[in-house]
Amino acid sequence: MHEFELACGVDGLNDFLDALGGQLDEPLAQDKIALALAALAQLGDGEEEDIEFDLRYQDAVTPVIIKAAVTHNVGPRLVFATPSEPLFEAARRLA
């Protein structure tokens, strides 16, 4: 699994996902983005959440996980994870 930390935080996650959607074969559905942001906004101290998406990139469906964790009431810290190296590289360039 390829991973990198998203420095954008929850406030910038919508913009990151919109930008990433422009690189995909099919854009991410806005309702899925809204549900993910709502779930992350509810996290309390010590809580973690994995938000999973199946994205179509370069004619293949690839799983993506946005891992979120709140520690000491700071965060959530966000990590982008995917088994696809090409999608990982594309997302990292956008972040």
Side-chain angles (χ1 to χ4, degrees):
M1 188 73 74
H2 304 281
E3 298 182 355
F4 69 92
E5 187 168 348
L6 290 168
C8 63
V10 173
D11 294 338
L13 184 59
N14 187 47
D15 292 337
F16 169 77
L17 292 174
D18 279 343
L20 181 61
Q23 304 289 312
L24 302 173
D25 297 341
E26 294 175 11
L28 257 146
Q30 288 298 315
D31 60 334
K32 285 188 177 185
I33 293 174
L35 286 172
L37 294 174
L40 296 178
Q42 305 268 336
L43 290 179
D45 190 33
E47 294 183 325
E48 298 179 359
E49 182 76 32
D50 289 350
I51 308 293
E52 298 182 29
F53 298 98
D54 286 325
L55 306 181
R56 182 168 290 283
Y57 184 71
Q58 296 181 341
D59 297 323
V61 175
T62 304
V64 167
I65 301 170
I66 304 293
K67 300 177 181 184
V70 176
T71 307
H72 304 297
N73 287 319
V74 176
R77 176 181 170 260
L78 302 175
V79 174
F80 180 94
T82 183
S84 167
E85 187 171 351
L87 182 55
F88 166 78
E89 292 298 336
R92 193 167 61 171
R93 282 191 298 273
L94 294 171

